Amino acid sequence: MKKSDRFEQGWNKLLETQGEAGVRTMEYLRETAPDLVKYVIEFPFGDVYTRPGLDLKTREIAAVAALTAMGNAAPQLKAHIQGALNVGCTRQEVIEIIVQMATFAGFPAAVNGMLAAKDVFEKRDKKKQGNR
Amino acid sequence: MKKSDRFEQGWNKLLETQGEAGVRTMEYLRETAPDLVKYVIEFPFGDVYTRPGLDLKTREIAAVAALTAMGNAAPQLKAHIQGALNVGCTRQEVIEIIVQMATFAGFPAAVNGMLAAKDVFEKRDKKKQGNR
Amino acid sequence: MKKSDRFEQGWNKLLETQGEAGVRTMEYLRETAPDLVKYVIEFPFGDVYTRPGLDLKTREIAAVAALTAMGNAAPQLKAHIQGALNVGCTRQEVIEIIVQMATFAGFPAAVNGMLAAKDVFEKRDKKKQGNR
Amino acid sequence: MKKSDRFEQGWNKLLETQGEAGVRTMEYLRETAPDLVKYVIEFPFGDVYTRPGLDLKTREIAAVAALTAMGNAAPQLKAHIQGALNVGCTRQEVIEIIVQMATFAGFPAAVNGMLAAKDVFEKRDKKKQGNR
Amino acid sequence: MKKSDRFEQGWNKLLETQGEAGVRTMEYLRETAPDLVKYVIEFPFGDVYTRPGLDLKTREIAAVAALTAMGNAAPQLKAHIQGALNVGCTRQEVIEIIVQMATFAGFPAAVNGMLAAKDVFEKRDKKKQGNR
Amino acid sequence: MKKSDRFEQGWNKLLETQGEAGVRTMEYLRETAPDLVKYVIEFPFGDVYTRPGLDLKTREIAAVAALTAMGNAAPQLKAHIQGALNVGCTRQEVIEIIVQMATFAGFPAAVNGMLAAKDVFEKRDKKKQGNR
């Protein structure tokens, strides 16, 4: 299958934001649902995340806000918390966004979002220690 | 009733972000539910929106993202689109965030969010024309 | 069509809680979807609302809580605010439940729930004045 | 702007399913958010609705099911009820799907979905009478 | 307790669609909440799934669509993916419905739905291998 | 940090309703997000749960109703089922509320809520046996 430009650009953007973890999920689904993987790469990452109107850091802040508020997509929330940190957000900024979501979506959503953030932070700490 | 500092700070932040329209909703509910109004002012606006960890523009971007994705709070979405524009977001940035939400929450949420944005934009245009 | 016992009991419970307004919605849908109307009467009102384990006032408090928190069913929320008042809740109790929902589902859900309550309260005031 | 093949195919599919009403919404948003319109045409209608794996009637049944259950996108639900009828579903089939949703998403979602269906049915009846 | 006709019919329909796994969940809850089990059997399976207006395959397609889009009921989504396959849907059709849901409910919902499908497919493959 | 009165009152209310388990979650998040913990204690527990307008038992019934219906916050639902039992609800009353939610939010929400309740009941039984 010849990969489209949208796919190539999306793949690069997926790597830039979510790193290997994002790629692993795509690999995991590729045999079952190759076209869903193709669309994930082409549309959100290829079409939308490459748009110039907002920088990547702002896009990941919007992603963490939305996924915390929706409250039903923990794996994607963790992936975008990773993404936010990978493109330059500080942990404190991620925490601030999640705290803010208590006002829009209630405390259970904010607490569950924070548990996701804590989990991501600890995985990153372990990985760093492993790399020393 | 003596107003707390949290209330005073929240009231200022409500005015700074949502302007008169935000105040009008609070006035409208004050007789029926004075304590809900007090809490809205004190907690989201007094405690959270005054926190130093994120600038107001970023907070309003997170608000527009979350409320578009949740898809069930059109009046509040419009108020925060107003808020985003009032604290320095461009219309194009608001549009970008809403477009991005199609990827997290689907096209109906994004289209309905954009209809809200179009409505806010048109009201602001009319008001400007009226002020001339 | 011979009406089942479940239907008869449900109809009485619909009348007891939501009054004429509840009946009007059912009449409005009867020609288009007679079986949905039948199920609404038989299952929620006939089977569940007649169960002895909780009194009607508590059931209507649970209904107002759930529908405020879900935030996407304004007509049903208003019907159950009516129901709560009809079976003995005070307006102040309805307001308390809705305020509490700010903590579970966020302020937009609580504010929109309160707008629904204010609307119901005002309709009841007008009706009372009309009856004098 | 040269239209892509995905756009052309999507436009045809939009017309085939939702007819003029679908086009009108797109026109209404085009000036404010041309790229959201482009994506709506290209991805859901151009990429997904043209896929051979399910016939259009089944896709519209799935759409009515999902939008009724989500319960927060009435305009899109009405558009896809129109779509379902335009591609060969009977009114009775639409009603059946909405009734079924009471079991997954509760009675408020099913009742509100049925109110949307009744509205669509009545608009179609009026239009037919106007055409005589 | 004398079982009603609705219960008998519902039990058969539960078995026909969800097989032993559906029965196991009901058994698991029966001691804690016998009446919830009774209602699940009587209303969704006894009243709704036995209605003649849609064939079982279409009903399970609608179920997979709705539960994927709602995104907060993974066990029930898996049960209805099983159901869809048990009454004649192909795996490819299940995949198609879930892909389509990306357009209505966003990519996280579609990806999480696909992970559920992959899990069901793999369990069925293991069971088949075990039966050889 | 000097604790505010709101914090002290909230901490007592947290202990009174959710017991040690509620405290443990707060401890778990305290290092990562001390201010979210502070707000959880101060606003829901300090401001709202101490309000005189509804007794604690009614508040926990409303909590179980809302969290069952929302269907995306299992840890908080379990905490409030504990809370309901701790402040005087019977298991049968908890079961009744969850059954009722099938009518507002569908059977998957009610079944998943009941699985949470069964889990809480069993943990309490084990703990009682351990205390003998």
Side-chain angles (χ1 to χ4, degrees), chain C residues 49 51 59 70 96 100, chain F residues 49 51 59 96 100 104:
Chain C
Y49 267 68
R51 292 172 62 85
R59 289 206 182 277
M70 294 168 75
E96 279 298 320
Q100 188 184 338
Chain F
Y49 267 68
R51 292 172 63 85
R59 288 207 183 277
E96 279 297 322
Q100 187 185 339
F104 296 118

Side-chain angles (χ1 to χ4, degrees), chain E residues 2 31 72 86 120 125:
Chain E
K2 201 183 140 293
E31 200 186 352
N72 61 1
N86 288 341
V120 170
D125 287 341

Side-chain angles (χ1 to χ4, degrees), chain E residues 26-62:
Chain E
M26 294 301 103
E27 300 289 358
Y28 182 73
L29 278 177
R30 190 183 299 244
E31 200 186 352
T32 305
D35 288 356
L36 181 60
V37 170
K38 178 168 134 16
Y39 293 144
V40 171
I41 307 295
E42 285 183 352
F43 178 57
F45 290 99
D47 287 348
V48 177
Y49 268 68
T50 57
R51 292 173 61 87
L54 286 175
D55 61 35
L56 269 184
K57 195 179 145 178
T58 305
R59 288 206 184 278
E60 289 297 32
I61 282 172

Side-chain angles (χ1 to χ4, degrees), chain A residues 20 122-132:
Chain A
E20 301 156 35
E122 288 175 353
K123 282 221 179 83
R124 289 170 81 95
D125 286 341
K126 267 189 206 154
K127 213 177 148 188
K128 254 192 257 169
Q129 290 177 326
N131 287 344
R132 276 187 215 162

Side-chain angles (χ1 to χ4, degrees), chain D residues 5-41:
Chain D
D5 289 354
R6 296 168 66 227
F7 188 93
E8 295 289 353
Q9 288 177 353
W11 190 259
N12 292 338
K13 205 52 86 179
L14 175 73
L15 262 175
E16 181 180 354
T17 54
Q18 301 191 357
E20 301 156 35
V23 172
R24 261 197 307 275
T25 307
M26 294 300 103
E27 299 290 358
Y28 182 72
L29 279 177
R30 192 182 298 244
E31 198 186 355
T32 306
D35 288 357
L36 182 61
V37 170
K38 177 167 133 19
Y39 293 146
V40 171
I41 308 296

Side-chain angles (χ1 to χ4, degrees), chain C residues 3-20:
Chain C
K3 302 277 167 52
S4 68
D5 288 353
R6 296 167 66 226
F7 188 93
E8 295 289 352
Q9 287 177 353
W11 190 259
N12 292 338
K13 205 53 84 179
L14 175 71
L15 262 175
E16 182 181 353
T17 54
Q18 301 191 356
E20 301 155 35

Side-chain angles (χ1 to χ4, degrees), chain A residues 33-99:
Chain A
D35 288 357
L36 181 61
V37 171
K38 179 166 132 21
Y39 293 145
V40 171
I41 307 296
E42 286 182 351
F43 178 57
F45 289 99
D47 287 349
V48 178
Y49 267 67
T50 57
R51 292 173 62 83
L54 286 175
D55 60 36
L56 268 185
K57 195 179 144 178
T58 304
R59 289 206 184 278
E60 288 298 30
I61 282 171
V64 171
L67 291 163
T68 299
M70 293 168 75
N72 62 1
Q76 287 77 24
L77 174 57
K78 288 185 188 176
H80 283 282
I81 291 172
Q82 290 275 14
L85 299 172
N86 289 342
V87 300
C89 287
T90 64
R91 291 186 185 191
Q92 205 50 47
E93 286 172 321
V94 168
I95 289 167
E96 279 298 322
I97 305 158
I98 296 174
V99 167

Side-chain angles (χ1 to χ4, degrees), chain A residues 43-44 48-49 51 53-54 58-59 61-63 65-66 69-70 80 93 96-97 100-101 103-105 107, chain B residues 43-44 48-49 51 53-54 58-59 61-63 65-66 69-70 80 93 96-97 100-101 103-105 107:
Chain A
F43 178 57
V48 178
Y49 267 67
R51 292 173 62 83
L54 286 175
T58 304
R59 289 206 184 278
I61 282 171
M70 293 168 75
H80 283 282
E93 286 172 321
E96 279 298 322
I97 305 158
Q100 187 184 338
M101 291 305 115
T103 73
F104 297 120
F107 282 92
Chain B
F43 178 56
V48 178
Y49 268 67
R51 292 172 63 85
L54 285 175
T58 306
R59 287 206 185 277
I61 283 171
M70 294 168 75
H80 282 283
E93 286 171 322
E96 279 298 321
I97 305 158
Q100 187 184 340
M101 291 306 114
T103 72
F104 296 119
F107 281 93

